[in-house]
């Protein structure tokens, strides 16, 4: 049997020995490294499925990163406690901190009333999540080395061998890395020894009173640090290679958030503080006899007289007397973010850093599996290379869904459990899509990354609905899910407008919103997009797709026009155009009909609408009643035949038969159907 065959697999003995050694290995099917949010989320799904797993956590409690960071303790993940709706799935769209579980006690709004919560609330929440759900976490266990052991009998053709700080060894068939990014980014340049790190600098504003400060970096940690000392410093300068990226312009939650951007006000309103652009590796810092820090450029130090002290060093202001950073600084603080820890992984795992601005993350596939090693999956913040600066996969409100997607992939691969799906008659197609785009949180938060997939059954009489599948592996859908796509498919995804997001975009321009259904393809704000494929896209088509498109070119595509309330239920603007698009793709009529219409169609059409085929022609329909007759009369669909029309001059009291009986026994003439004259009638 192939190691990749999707069938239940028996585990090796709980205690095993590595070949050629005497060291004992404790075995688990799944090993999870890290008990942060993504590790706990993965453990929850494994436990619910009854799988053999363990989490290794280096600290004495879960969420150790949040016990330290952010330094100033205010999270930038929103905690919207009220939405005006009771739908729990919808409410998760605006709850960026809760993990997924069946326990209603584990909603983050029960842990904090603040819109931007304190990080200590997150620590308490994660502790309760692990304890209340009885997750199997092995604390005070730091994994210091990971390597492979080849074995054809293993699930993936090898086992993962892990060693902790006490030299205890572990063996597992699948490895889930949920350690996040926690190693500080450091730039080395002459004088960098004078720089304080974000992870150790004082958070007491009084320690900066009357000082002049230079901050290296331009992300949320840099602005968070500046915000804390803004009111007590002489001035703050901030330098970085890249320009400021505002989250409201880029629509990326990892860029600068409004809660931290007070320094932008003081800079633009000329209150001494300022922003500069420059490559940090070209800088140099020199310290004078008074302890002041002077900024110069690296090339000025190349031919300096090392014995002459600072007086022998050329500073930029010596040649350019209005050089921007000519004033000396009391302190320089490094706030450059974090990167993944690659040090514990043996070369046999081929865990390689990404390229360019993704080099802080390991290289992984769109399925979140390592590009170098089968069976090694990266979860949580460290998996953000899949959607860096595109979606929310590096944050709790995003990776809680990608972690669930990984679990479903593993269930199919190793245990023969297909991706969850529901089969509906084709007449429910429009309603199913409308329901999901108005409620689903996974689609909403992981826009352009996770999509609902609708697999059409033969002759388009029914469809199979799969939720929140990673679109990057759409070509592998049949293999990854255990579901078949023989007759075409729809892909439902959420997208922003093509040219609406970017650091240089004006997202507040006049007439920025689109309201007319015929211009839906020009929608700027987040809105549903439906792709139709007659056949499952191939691997080649996925590779050749346009880099700005989440999917290859479809056979047809439909945009549901953006909505100010993100409520896509308007009959004319949202539902009717969608239904017509679906009908055009399927060459059928998806409307619901009264029995008399189906009766007429049976004599006048070669092919009945699906509603008539699945209901009327199978003797399924509404049971006649006086209430239904009256409704049809008021709608103008039936003549108002009164009881006296049938009884002549006799009163109803002389007859025991009820009006319902007359409805059942008497033949009522059917008048010809009137043509539908507008969109409202068609609905």
């Amino acid at each position: 049997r192939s190691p990749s065959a999707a069938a239940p697999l028996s585990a090796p003995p709980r205690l095993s020995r590595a070949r050629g050694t005497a060291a004992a290995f404790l075995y688990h099917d799944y090993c999870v490294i890290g008990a942060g949010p993504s590790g706990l989320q993965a453990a929850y799904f494994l436990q619910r499925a009854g799988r053999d797993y363990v989490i290794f956590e280096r600290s004495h409690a879960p969420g150790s990163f949040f016990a330290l960071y952010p330094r100033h303790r205010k999270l930038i993940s929103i905690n919207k406690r009220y939405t005006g709706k009771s739908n729990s799935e919808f409410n998760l769209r605006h709850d960026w901190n809760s993990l997924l579980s069946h326990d209603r006690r584990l909603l983050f709004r029960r842990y904090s009333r603040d819109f931007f919560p304190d990080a200590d609330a997150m620590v308490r929440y994660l502790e309760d999540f692990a304890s209340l759900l009885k997750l199997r976490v092995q604390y005070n266990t730091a994994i210091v080395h990971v390597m492979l052991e080849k074995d054809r009998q293993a699930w993936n053709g090898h086992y993962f061998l892990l060693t902790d700080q006490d030299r205890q060894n572990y063996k597992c068939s699948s490895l889930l890395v949920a350690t996040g990014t926690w190693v500080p980014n450091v730039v080395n340049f002459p004088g960098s020894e004078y720089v304080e790190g974000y992870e150790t600098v004082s958070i007491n504003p009084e320690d900066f009173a009357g000082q002049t400060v230079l901050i290296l970096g331009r992300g949320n940690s840099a602005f968070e640090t500046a915000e804390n000392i803004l009111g007590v410093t002489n001035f703050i300068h901030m330098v970085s290679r890249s320009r400021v990226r505002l989250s409201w312009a880029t629509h990326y939650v990892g860029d600068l958030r409004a809660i931290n951007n007070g320094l932008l006000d003081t800079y633009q309103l000329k209150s001494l503080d300022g922003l500069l652009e420059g490559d940090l590796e070209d800088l140099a810092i020199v310290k004078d006899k008074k302890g002041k820090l002077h900024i110069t450029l690296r090339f000025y130090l190349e031919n300096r007289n090392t014995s002459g002290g600072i007086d022998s060093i050329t500073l930029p202001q010596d040649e350019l007397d209005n050089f921007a950073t000519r004033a000396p600084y009391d302190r320089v603080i490094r706030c450059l973010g974090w990167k993944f820890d690659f040090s514990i992984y043996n070369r046999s795992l081929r865990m390689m850093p990404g390229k360019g601005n993704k080099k802080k993350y390991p290289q992984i596939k769109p399925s979140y599996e390592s590009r170098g090693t089968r069976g090694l999956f990266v979860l949580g913040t460290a998996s953000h290379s899949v959607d860096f600066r595109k979606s929310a996969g590096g944050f709790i409100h995003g990776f809680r869904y990608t972690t669930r997607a990984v679990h479903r992939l593993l269930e199919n691969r190793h245990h023969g459990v297909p991706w969850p799906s529901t089969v509906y008659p084709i007449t429910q197609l429009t309603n199913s899509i409308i329901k999901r785009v108005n409620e689903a949180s996974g689609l909403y938060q992981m826009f352009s990354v996770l999509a609902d997939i609708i697999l059409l059954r033969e002759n388009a009489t029914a469809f199979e609905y799969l939720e929140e599948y990673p679109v990057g592996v759409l070509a592998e859908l049949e293999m990854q899910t255990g579901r078949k796509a023989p007759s075409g498919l729809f892909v439902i995804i959420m997208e922003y407008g093509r040219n609406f997001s970017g650091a240089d975009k004006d997202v507040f321009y006049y007439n920025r919103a689109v309201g007319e259904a015929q211009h839906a393809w020009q929608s700027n704000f987040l809105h549903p997009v439906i792709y139709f494929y007659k056949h499952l896209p191939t691997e080649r088509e996925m590779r050749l797709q346009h880099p700005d498109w989440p999917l290859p070119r479809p056979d047809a595509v439909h945009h549901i026009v953006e909505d100010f309330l993100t409520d896509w239920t308007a009959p004319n603007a949202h539902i009717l155009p969608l239904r017509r698009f679906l009908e055009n793709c399927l060459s059928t009529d998806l409307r619901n009909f009264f029995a008399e219409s189906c009766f007429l169609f049976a004599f006048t059409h070669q092919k009945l609408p699906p509603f008539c085929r699945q209901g009327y022609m199978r003797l399924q329909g509404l049971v006649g009643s006086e209430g239904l007759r009256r409704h049809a009369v008021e709608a103008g669909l039936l003549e108002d035949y009164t009881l006296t029309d049938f009884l002549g001059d006799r009163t109803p009291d002389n007859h025991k038969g009820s009006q319902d009986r007359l409805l059942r026994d008497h033949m009522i003439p059917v008048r010809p159907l009137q043509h539908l004259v507008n969109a409202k009638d068609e609905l």
Side-chain angles (χ1 to χ4, degrees), residues 298-314:
R298 182 190 289 262
F299 71 83
Y300 282 127
L301 303 183
E302 292 178 353
N303 299 316
R304 71 171 181 165
N305 180 359
T306 57
S307 62
I310 187 173
D311 294 334
S312 66
I313 299 174
T314 301

Side-chain angles (χ1 to χ4, degrees), residues 40 43 197 201 220 226 289 293 328 356 390 422 478 553 561 579 594 638 642 657 662:
L40 297 180
V201 70
N220 279 292
K289 296 177 182 179
L293 303 176
K390 293 181 179 179
T422 308
E478 293 186 334
R553 183 178 296 276
V561 69
R579 202 204 70 224
F594 283 102
L638 290 177
T642 63
L662 289 172

Side-chain angles (χ1 to χ4, degrees), residues 222-238:
F223 277 89
E224 167 205 336
T225 301
E227 193 79 11
N228 184 53
I229 60 177
L230 199 59
V232 298
T233 53
N234 296 331
F235 58 80
I236 301 171
H237 288 166
M238 189 177 290

Side-chain angles (χ1 to χ4, degrees), residues 341-391:
D341 180 16
F342 291 91
S343 65
I344 68 173
Y345 301 96
N346 184 276
R347 292 179 60 184
S348 61
L349 278 83
R350 293 179 292 175
M351 285 279 280
M352 302 296 294
K355 299 178 181 178
N357 59 9
K358 297 180 181 179
K359 63 182 179 182
K360 59 184 175 181
Y361 303 115
Q363 292 186 18
I364 58 175
K365 303 175 183 178
S367 61
Y368 302 92
E369 189 170 22
S370 169
R371 291 192 178 276
T373 305
R374 179 178 171 84
L376 191 161
F377 287 82
V378 180
L379 308 177
T381 301
S383 70
H384 198 24
S385 62
V386 171
D387 63 307
F388 181 59
R389 287 187 174 163
K390 293 181 179 179
S391 196

Side-chain angles (χ1 to χ4, degrees), residues 405-442:
V406 168
H407 171 71
R408 289 171 171 173
L409 296 175
L410 290 170
E411 284 291 293
N412 177 64
R413 176 188 292 186
H414 296 312
H415 308 288
V417 180
W419 193 283
S421 68
T422 308
V423 177
Y424 298 99
I426 201 67
T427 53
Q428 295 299 312
L429 183 57
T430 306
N431 290 342
S432 297
I433 295 174
I434 290 295
K435 178 178 174 62
R436 285 287 295 170
V437 300
N438 280 288
E439 295 179 0
S441 178

Side-chain angles (χ1 to χ4, degrees), residues 135-176:
L135 303 181
R136 296 191 283 275
V137 185
Q138 187 169 311
Y139 294 109
N140 300 309
T141 305
I143 299 300
V144 297
H145 190 252
V146 183
M147 62 180 294
L148 290 182
E149 179 189 71
K150 299 291 184 181
D151 191 323
R152 293 185 178 181
Q153 299 303 312
W155 290 3
N156 298 290
H158 50 249
Y159 290 111
F160 296 92
L161 306 182
L162 287 65
T163 304
D164 68 16
Q165 79 276 19
D166 297 323
R167 298 187 179 180
Q168 174 62 57
N169 299 310
Y170 308 89
K171 177 186 286 191
C172 50
S173 293
S174 286
L175 180 62
L176 307 181

Side-chain angles (χ1 to χ4, degrees), residues 58-78:
R58 60 181 176 170
S59 182
H60 66 281
S64 58
F65 184 88
F66 289 99
L68 299 174
Y69 308 108
R71 291 295 311 283
H72 305 92
R73 309 313 289 153
K74 187 176 287 293
L75 299 175
I76 57 174
S77 49
I78 66 174

